[in-house]
Amino acid sequence: MSEPLFEPRLRADGSLDPECLERMGPDWLAGWLRERLSGRDPWFPLDRRIDEDPEALLVGILRGVGSGHPLVPLVGHAIRRLLDDALAEAPSPSPWFRPLLRLCQQKALPLTASWFAAELDALARYPEAFAGRWPDRELADGILFAAIRQSPGWPGSPARPIWKVLLTRPETATFALSALGTSLHQQVSHLAAWWQACPEDERDLELGQLIFVALRTEGEDETRAVLSRTLSLPRDLQEAIDRRLRANGARPVFLARSHRKPLLSSFQANPGFDRRYHLPSRAA
């Protein structure tokens, strides 16, 4: 059966009516997306006056209709088809692939999750082959950014073990930290591994951003409480966290802790101190 003839419709406010796209099948949607993301759209021409991003229209539509709208899986099927086409064209995919990745970085589409999980797995298992398939570092990073959205490493996610492997590699450590959690509370258990792997010339800047966001979204008390429950962070990471806290006007966490003396330090400092007369008796 042939697809119906496309009839573009606008709402009263001038925005695109998503129902006119919903009537079309994945084949038509894939063809339309391929043309639009290439900069050519006979139905809804790109606004050259504002240098409109070709993916912006669809991102706006998908955000407007919500995740439960019937259009979402239809678009997901179409985008999955384009992702497969780009993989077949690697290492020189068509120009529409970059805008497609930007779309995937902004809106989760469940039907694309397995594609990105497969690419993550390939990167974890065969990094040289992955680099050969995607030699353009900017493009490879675009795939990882999109994978954070489409196939994150949240608890219970099939991609979580893969992201944990990528957390231990310098070139992917920060991507993995972002994929394993969206807040300091979720990321704190991975900080030590990330700090160890992240290149030294990058990690202080990334840590500063993490602390800044935590203080702004969770507040100083909650941020310090989360950090204070972490006992196994390397000393240089503790010092870096305290520096970043002070830089944002917050009190340090680990500096105060490091200045506390152990309970038995007074016993050790006074050789004549007899512990038998000062510790509770076990006899009762």
Side-chain angles (χ1 to χ4, degrees), residues 48-69:
R48 304 298 183 184
R49 298 170 300 174
I50 61 171
D51 196 22
E52 179 185 4
D53 290 329
E55 73 279 4
L57 174 64
L58 194 60
V59 170
I61 292 172
L62 293 173
R63 286 176 174 171
V65 300
S67 58
H69 194 278

Side-chain angles (χ1 to χ4, degrees), residues 188-244:
V188 70
S189 62
H190 307 291
L191 276 183
W194 167 78
W195 184 257
Q196 182 68 28
C198 188
E200 290 188 15
D201 60 344
E202 298 177 15
R203 63 189 188 183
D204 194 57
L205 181 62
E206 296 293 344
L207 180 66
Q209 178 68 12
L210 188 153
I211 296 297
F212 174 81
V213 171
L215 289 171
R216 294 301 179 273
T217 58
E218 302 175 30
E220 179 180 345
D221 290 343
E222 178 62 22
T223 297
R224 294 182 75 256
V226 170
L227 292 168
S228 67
R229 292 194 291 268
T230 305
L231 304 176
S232 58
L233 296 182
R235 180 62 178 271
D236 59 340
L237 174 53
Q238 293 181 5
E239 293 172 349
I241 289 173
D242 278 349
R243 283 197 304 271
R244 285 299 179 175

Side-chain angles (χ1 to χ4, degrees), residues 57-137:
L57 174 64
L58 194 60
V59 170
I61 292 172
L62 293 173
R63 286 176 174 171
V65 300
S67 58
H69 194 278
L71 180 62
V72 175
L74 289 174
V75 171
H77 275 294
I79 290 178
R80 175 57 191 262
R81 188 168 303 178
L82 294 183
L83 289 170
D84 288 338
D85 289 346
L87 185 60
E89 295 174 354
S92 301
S94 298
W96 48 257
F97 186 45
R98 293 177 190 272
L100 183 70
L101 289 176
R102 293 199 299 267
L103 191 161
C104 292
Q105 291 163 14
Q106 298 177 70
K107 185 68 177 74
L109 296 159
L111 291 175
T112 72
S114 60
W115 190 93
F116 285 99
E119 289 304 296
L120 290 175
D121 188 59
L123 175 58
R125 292 173 179 267
Y126 314 107
E128 293 183 359
F130 181 90
R133 181 158 68 244
W134 309 111
D136 185 322
R137 178 61 185 271

